[in-house]
mmCIF file of all heavy atoms in Angstrom:
data_model
loop_
_atom_site.group_PDB
_atom_site.id
_atom_site.type_symbol
_atom_site.label_atom_id
_atom_site.label_comp_id
_atom_site.label_asym_id
_atom_site.label_seq_id
_atom_site.Cartn_x
_atom_site.Cartn_y
_atom_site.Cartn_z
ATOM 1 N N CYS A 295 103.243 -33.396 68.030
ATOM 2 C CA CYS A 295 104.348 -32.538 67.438
ATOM 3 C C CYS A 295 104.147 -32.397 65.961
ATOM 4 O O CYS A 295 103.536 -33.319 65.272
ATOM 5 C CB CYS A 295 105.734 -33.169 67.570
ATOM 6 S SG CYS A 295 106.160 -33.475 69.204
ATOM 7 N N GLY A 296 104.577 -31.338 65.360
ATOM 8 C CA GLY A 296 104.622 -31.118 63.863
ATOM 9 C C GLY A 296 103.268 -31.302 63.217
ATOM 10 O O GLY A 296 102.257 -30.726 63.643
ATOM 11 N N THR A 297 103.215 -32.153 62.155
ATOM 12 C CA THR A 297 101.977 -32.365 61.449
ATOM 13 C C THR A 297 100.972 -32.975 62.386
ATOM 14 O O THR A 297 99.779 -32.526 62.254
ATOM 15 C CB THR A 297 102.251 -33.252 60.226
ATOM 16 O OG1 THR A 297 103.035 -32.465 59.291
ATOM 17 C CG2 THR A 297 101.041 -33.645 59.572
ATOM 18 N N SER A 298 101.360 -33.846 63.218
ATOM 19 C CA SER A 298 100.453 -34.421 64.143
ATOM 20 C C SER A 298 99.730 -33.366 65.057
ATOM 21 O O SER A 298 98.537 -33.486 65.458
ATOM 22 C CB SER A 298 100.964 -35.524 65.071
ATOM 23 O OG SER A 298 101.514 -36.534 64.175
ATOM 24 N N ILE A 341 98.815 -37.831 69.895
ATOM 25 C CA ILE A 341 98.758 -38.246 68.465
ATOM 26 C C ILE A 341 100.132 -38.348 67.898
ATOM 27 O O ILE A 341 100.893 -37.348 67.972
ATOM 28 C CB ILE A 341 97.891 -37.203 67.723
ATOM 29 C CG1 ILE A 341 96.639 -36.906 68.433
ATOM 30 C CG2 ILE A 341 97.728 -37.513 66.285
ATOM 31 C CD1 ILE A 341 95.900 -35.608 68.209
ATOM 32 N N SER A 342 100.407 -39.432 67.139
ATOM 33 C CA SER A 342 101.744 -39.535 66.495
ATOM 34 C C SER A 342 101.645 -40.622 65.395
ATOM 35 O O SER A 342 101.146 -41.647 65.573
ATOM 36 C CB SER A 342 102.757 -39.962 67.624
ATOM 37 O OG SER A 342 104.011 -40.352 67.032
ATOM 38 N N GLN A 343 102.075 -40.192 64.344
ATOM 39 C CA GLN A 343 102.323 -41.204 63.221
ATOM 40 C C GLN A 343 103.078 -42.330 63.689
ATOM 41 O O GLN A 343 102.639 -43.509 63.622
ATOM 42 C CB GLN A 343 102.835 -40.512 62.005
ATOM 43 C CG GLN A 343 102.998 -41.386 60.783
ATOM 44 C CD GLN A 343 104.247 -42.359 60.781
ATOM 45 O OE1 GLN A 343 103.949 -43.571 60.480
ATOM 46 N NE2 GLN A 343 105.361 -41.981 61.046
ATOM 47 N N SER A 344 104.334 -42.018 64.123
ATOM 48 C CA SER A 344 105.386 -43.122 64.361
ATOM 49 C C SER A 344 105.025 -43.788 65.718
ATOM 50 O O SER A 344 105.434 -44.936 65.967
ATOM 51 C CB SER A 344 106.741 -42.526 64.484
ATOM 52 O OG SER A 344 106.719 -41.512 65.441
ATOM 53 N N GLY A 345 104.463 -42.973 66.660
ATOM 54 C CA GLY A 345 104.328 -43.567 68.015
ATOM 55 C C GLY A 345 105.665 -43.575 68.774
ATOM 56 O O GLY A 345 105.704 -44.194 69.908
ATOM 57 N N THR A 347 107.835 -40.619 68.729
ATOM 58 C CA THR A 347 108.367 -39.283 68.920
ATOM 59 C C THR A 347 108.618 -38.989 70.434
ATOM 60 O O THR A 347 107.606 -39.093 71.132
ATOM 61 C CB THR A 347 107.362 -38.302 68.358
ATOM 62 O OG1 THR A 347 107.276 -38.517 66.865
ATOM 63 C CG2 THR A 347 107.812 -36.856 68.505
ATOM 64 N N THR A 350 106.428 -36.397 72.422
ATOM 65 C CA THR A 350 105.026 -36.917 72.545
ATOM 66 C C THR A 350 104.938 -38.006 73.550
ATOM 67 O O THR A 350 104.087 -38.078 74.491
ATOM 68 C CB THR A 350 104.348 -37.324 71.250
ATOM 69 O OG1 THR A 350 104.640 -36.277 70.224
ATOM 70 C CG2 THR A 350 102.945 -37.525 71.276
ATOM 71 N N VAL A 393 109.489 -38.270 54.343
ATOM 72 C CA VAL A 393 109.634 -37.606 55.516
ATOM 73 C C VAL A 393 108.498 -36.668 55.931
ATOM 74 O O VAL A 393 108.005 -36.435 57.030
ATOM 75 C CB VAL A 393 111.075 -36.963 55.694
ATOM 76 C CG1 VAL A 393 111.160 -36.049 56.885
ATOM 77 C CG2 VAL A 393 112.080 -37.964 55.788
ATOM 78 N N ALA A 394 107.959 -36.045 54.898
ATOM 79 C CA ALA A 394 106.850 -35.151 55.013
ATOM 80 C C ALA A 394 105.595 -35.954 55.235
ATOM 81 O O ALA A 394 105.259 -36.794 54.482
ATOM 82 C CB ALA A 394 106.731 -34.197 53.875
ATOM 83 N N ALA A 395 104.839 -35.726 56.337
ATOM 84 C CA ALA A 395 103.707 -36.487 56.636
ATOM 85 C C ALA A 395 102.568 -36.032 55.745
ATOM 86 O O ALA A 395 102.327 -34.807 55.571
ATOM 87 C CB ALA A 395 103.233 -36.306 58.056
ATOM 88 N N GLN A 402 94.823 -39.311 60.283
ATOM 89 C CA GLN A 402 94.567 -38.752 61.777
ATOM 90 C C GLN A 402 93.385 -37.989 61.899
ATOM 91 O O GLN A 402 92.555 -38.105 62.866
ATOM 92 C CB GLN A 402 95.846 -37.899 62.090
ATOM 93 C CG GLN A 402 97.085 -38.683 62.570
ATOM 94 C CD GLN A 402 98.379 -37.836 62.669
ATOM 95 O OE1 GLN A 402 98.333 -36.653 62.197
ATOM 96 N NE2 GLN A 402 99.341 -38.379 63.277
ATOM 97 N N GLU A 476 99.479 -26.232 58.293
ATOM 98 C CA GLU A 476 100.040 -27.536 57.664
ATOM 99 C C GLU A 476 100.526 -27.229 56.262
ATOM 100 O O GLU A 476 101.548 -27.730 55.851
ATOM 101 C CB GLU A 476 98.993 -28.622 57.724
ATOM 102 C CG GLU A 476 99.297 -29.853 57.093
ATOM 103 C CD GLU A 476 100.532 -30.607 57.659
ATOM 104 O OE1 GLU A 476 101.036 -30.198 58.724
ATOM 105 O OE2 GLU A 476 100.971 -31.566 56.965
ATOM 106 N N LEU A 479 103.786 -25.549 56.547
ATOM 107 C CA LEU A 479 104.854 -26.567 56.988
ATOM 108 C C LEU A 479 105.340 -27.414 55.921
ATOM 109 O O LEU A 479 106.420 -27.680 55.590
ATOM 110 C CB LEU A 479 104.267 -27.411 58.190
ATOM 111 C CG LEU A 479 105.307 -28.510 58.690
ATOM 112 C CD1 LEU A 479 106.570 -27.968 59.211
ATOM 113 C CD2 LEU A 479 104.686 -29.330 59.659
ATOM 114 N N LYS A 480 104.291 -27.921 55.046
ATOM 115 C CA LYS A 480 104.673 -28.762 53.918
ATOM 116 C C LYS A 480 105.581 -28.076 52.989
ATOM 117 O O LYS A 480 106.559 -28.581 52.545
ATOM 118 C CB LYS A 480 103.390 -29.242 53.141
ATOM 119 C CG LYS A 480 102.637 -30.197 53.773
ATOM 120 C CD LYS A 480 103.205 -31.682 53.891
ATOM 121 C CE LYS A 480 103.979 -31.876 55.114
ATOM 122 N NZ LYS A 480 103.476 -32.324 56.264
ATOM 123 N N GLU A 483 109.133 -27.434 54.656
ATOM 124 C CA GLU A 483 110.085 -28.530 54.930
ATOM 125 C C GLU A 483 110.475 -29.222 53.665
ATOM 126 O O GLU A 483 111.707 -29.791 53.678
ATOM 127 C CB GLU A 483 109.441 -29.487 55.946
ATOM 128 C CG GLU A 483 108.270 -30.354 55.409
ATOM 129 C CD GLU A 483 107.769 -31.332 56.436
ATOM 130 O OE1 GLU A 483 108.468 -31.722 57.330
ATOM 131 O OE2 GLU A 483 106.524 -31.618 56.257
ATOM 132 N N LEU A 596 116.213 -33.189 58.304
ATOM 133 C CA LEU A 596 114.993 -33.757 58.883
ATOM 134 C C LEU A 596 115.134 -35.227 59.081
ATOM 135 O O LEU A 596 115.966 -35.823 58.445
ATOM 136 C CB LEU A 596 113.737 -33.497 58.090
ATOM 137 C CG LEU A 596 113.299 -32.016 58.077
ATOM 138 C CD1 LEU A 596 112.139 -31.941 57.088
ATOM 139 C CD2 LEU A 596 112.841 -31.689 59.438
ATOM 140 N N ALA A 597 114.409 -35.709 59.961
ATOM 141 C CA ALA A 597 114.302 -37.239 60.032
ATOM 142 C C ALA A 597 112.773 -37.615 60.271
ATOM 143 O O ALA A 597 112.093 -36.755 60.826
ATOM 144 C CB ALA A 597 115.088 -37.716 61.267
ATOM 145 N N LYS A 598 112.453 -38.710 59.851
ATOM 146 C CA LYS A 598 110.949 -38.998 59.890
ATOM 147 C C LYS A 598 110.534 -39.121 61.392
ATOM 148 O O LYS A 598 109.442 -38.686 61.719
ATOM 149 C CB LYS A 598 110.730 -40.273 59.147
ATOM 150 C CG LYS A 598 109.285 -40.731 59.135
ATOM 151 C CD LYS A 598 108.542 -40.260 57.913
ATOM 152 C CE LYS A 598 107.085 -40.526 57.942
ATOM 153 N NZ LYS A 598 106.272 -39.437 57.308
ATOM 154 N N VAL A 600 111.482 -38.528 65.311
ATOM 155 C CA VAL A 600 112.409 -37.716 66.042
ATOM 156 C C VAL A 600 112.452 -38.323 67.423
ATOM 157 O O VAL A 600 111.612 -38.030 68.285
ATOM 158 C CB VAL A 600 111.917 -36.190 66.075
ATOM 159 C CG1 VAL A 600 112.924 -35.347 66.872
ATOM 160 C CG2 VAL A 600 111.775 -35.725 64.682
HETATM 161 O O1 M6R B 1 105.607 -39.437 64.166
HETATM 162 P P1 M6R B 1 104.941 -38.225 64.674
HETATM 163 O O2 M6R B 1 103.649 -38.051 64.065
HETATM 164 O O3 M6R B 1 104.956 -38.108 66.128
HETATM 165 O O4 M6R B 1 105.930 -37.067 64.114
HETATM 166 C C1 M6R B 1 105.705 -35.742 64.492
HETATM 167 C C2 M6R B 1 106.507 -34.791 63.576
HETATM 168 O O5 M6R B 1 107.842 -35.097 63.747
HETATM 169 C C3 M6R B 1 106.175 -34.868 62.050
HETATM 170 O O6 M6R B 1 104.796 -34.743 61.954
HETATM 171 C C4 M6R B 1 106.920 -33.960 61.264
HETATM 172 O O7 M6R B 1 106.520 -32.597 61.593
HETATM 173 C C5 M6R B 1 106.899 -34.209 59.826
HETATM 174 N N1 M6R B 1 108.074 -33.821 59.206
HETATM 175 C C6 M6R B 1 105.795 -33.378 59.121
HETATM 176 O O8 M6R B 1 105.848 -33.501 57.806
#
Side-chain angles (χ1 to χ4, degrees):
C295 302
T297 290
S298 297
I341 306 160
S342 171
Q343 181 284 128
S344 60
T347 300
T350 310
V393 165
Q402 281 170 341
E476 177 60 9
L479 175 62
K480 285 292 87 89
E483 72 179 333
L596 289 175
K598 181 92 183 143
V600 182

